Amino acid sequence: VTKPFLNVVRRLVTRYLAQTTEGNFGMLIEKRVELKSKIRMILQKSFSLYMDMYKTDLPLYDLLYEEFDDLRKNKRNPLEVYIGRDGIYTYLGRKAQDIARRRKMGRAKRIELQNKGELIKIKPRYFVYPRYFRDNLSYQTKRKYLEQANVSPNNDTYFYDTGFLGSIPEEIMRVMDFPPEEIDQRIKMFYVENRSPQRRIKKLNENIPKYMVEGVLENHPQTEESAKGVFIDDKGTLHHMASPSDPEDQFYSLILREAVVRHYWLKEKLHN
């Protein structure tokens, strides 16, 4: 976050060139004119996406974070779950906000608040759970995967969903035995299509049309394709398995992540 943005862009351009040429220096020289033109186009689009994030996504994220903060006013410590892939940007913004808040108060103040029993950590959770998991994984695999993320009614878990139905968090809560009467109140969405109005972010205009949030919250560039399975590492931990997206989409996604993280880091640092 503290690195100059220009240095980050240079690093991402170098990364893109290495991916595109597969590390072949001869190909880099041979295609230098074509690549120069391509990079110019990618940079122009990247900076446009960067500014669009400020105009469209971030004001919506503010409303979501404010609603989650309101839940914490009575010493509650809910687990905030951001479901990927589309939820990655919202998660990163919240994580940056969380770290910046704690660092700003300093170690001595954090210890003082902890000794008083104050809750000073948000610690948002992110994991991938696509429709493929819902439709193809066994109950036992789903259960283990979600237990790893500590998703449980005992953790006062709330879910942010970029979709318009909320079917994925519904599925997760059913697998993890959440009380059926609590499902609606534990899902936070910007647009609710044919579902309970309890799911809508409270401070968002209830008459906002779907098209105003559809392009904002979904279909952003991503660094990977939708997950098509899981694998188990040497420690017995389950991980989602997905192919990387093309180098161009990866570039755009990493630029958007910079926009979100830098914004919330600086905003918290300046906030009194």
Side-chain angles (χ1 to χ4, degrees):
V1 177
T2 57
K3 294 180 180 179
F5 184 60
L6 180 58
N7 290 351
V8 173
V9 173
R10 286 171 173 158
R11 176 176 57 81
L12 292 180
V13 168
T14 303
R15 182 179 187 271
Y16 172 80
L17 290 172
Q19 289 177 305
T20 304
T21 62
E22 298 181 349
N24 187 323
F25 185 73
M27 185 184 298
L28 180 63
I29 298 299
E30 180 184 342
K31 295 187 174 182
R32 63 186 182 277
V33 175
E34 175 186 339
L35 288 171
K36 183 178 180 180
S37 175
K38 182 71 171 179
I39 289 171
R40 182 182 294 111
M41 182 276 292
I42 289 174
L43 288 174
Q44 289 174 343
K45 182 175 178 179
S46 296
F47 298 144
S48 178
L49 290 172
Y50 192 111
M51 297 310 299
D52 284 345
M53 179 69 76
Y54 273 82
K55 291 186 290 185
T56 55
D57 293 55
L58 298 183
L60 294 176
Y61 295 176
D62 286 342
L63 296 177
L64 173 67
Y65 300 159
E66 187 176 344
E67 186 153 325
F68 277 142
D69 283 340
D70 287 343
L71 291 173
R72 298 173 179 274
K73 289 182 177 178
N74 296 317
K75 293 193 175 182
R76 289 177 64 182
N77 188 27
L79 174 65
E80 300 175 20
V81 171
Y82 298 82
I83 303 172
R85 297 178 299 159
D86 292 315
I88 184 63
Y89 301 106
T90 329
Y91 161 75
L92 289 173
R94 187 61 159 166
K95 184 178 180 181
Q97 194 178 60
D98 176 32
I99 296 172
R101 286 179 182 180
R102 286 186 277 123
R103 288 193 178 182
K104 182 175 61 176
M105 68 177 65
R107 186 172 182 272
K109 184 65 175 179
R110 291 200 303 271
I111 293 175
E112 178 187 342
L113 292 174
Q114 286 174 339
N115 291 337
K116 292 180 179 179
E118 296 289 338
L119 300 170
I120 62 171
K121 292 183 180 180
I122 300 173
K123 299 185 72 173
R125 191 68 42 83
Y126 171 84
F127 58 83
V128 171
Y129 198 100
R131 292 181 180 84
Y132 182 93
F133 285 19
R134 180 193 66 189
D135 299 336
N136 294 282
L137 297 186
S138 68
Y139 169 81
Q140 291 79 8
T141 302
K142 293 176 185 177
R143 183 90 186 188
K144 180 177 180 179
Y145 184 75
L146 294 168
E147 285 174 348
Q148 289 176 177
N150 292 322
V151 174
S152 161
N154 298 330
N155 288 334
D156 197 10
T157 308
Y158 282 77
F159 300 84
Y160 162 67
D161 188 14
T162 60
F164 307 106
L165 296 175
S167 58
I168 294 300
E170 280 184 27
E171 149 84 357
I172 290 172
M173 283 189 273
R174 291 192 179 99
V175 170
M176 298 308 294
D177 300 323
F178 280 70
E181 65 273 13
E182 294 184 6
I183 287 179
D184 284 335
Q185 70 188 49
R186 293 190 177 277
I187 300 174
K188 301 298 178 184
M189 303 169 66
F190 290 108
Y191 184 89
V192 180
E193 190 172 84
N194 302 323
R195 288 296 193 274
S196 169
Q198 291 183 59
R199 302 182 183 189
R200 179 188 289 273
I201 304 299
K202 293 184 178 64
K203 295 185 180 180
L204 184 67
N205 183 349
E206 63 181 18
N207 296 318
I208 188 171
K210 180 179 180 180
Y211 75 86
M212 289 188 65
V213 296
E214 189 170 22
V216 171
L217 306 172
E218 296 194 317
N219 303 318
H220 278 321
Q222 300 288 346
T223 57
E224 62 184 24
E225 303 294 342
S226 183
K228 297 297 183 182
V230 294
F231 69 93
I232 304 176
D233 65 18
D234 294 338
K235 297 180 180 179
T237 303
L238 286 171
H239 303 272
H240 76 275
M241 185 166 53
S243 300
S245 59
D246 64 70
E248 195 171 318
D249 273 350
Q250 291 184 43
F251 191 102
Y252 297 142
S253 178
L254 293 171
I255 285 289
L256 287 177
R257 295 180 189 206
E258 286 290 325
V260 174
V261 171
R262 286 172 180 272
H263 170 74
Y264 283 106
W265 179 269
L266 182 60
K267 184 176 181 179
E268 288 299 322
K269 286 290 186 179
L270 297 177
H271 177 69
N272 293 314

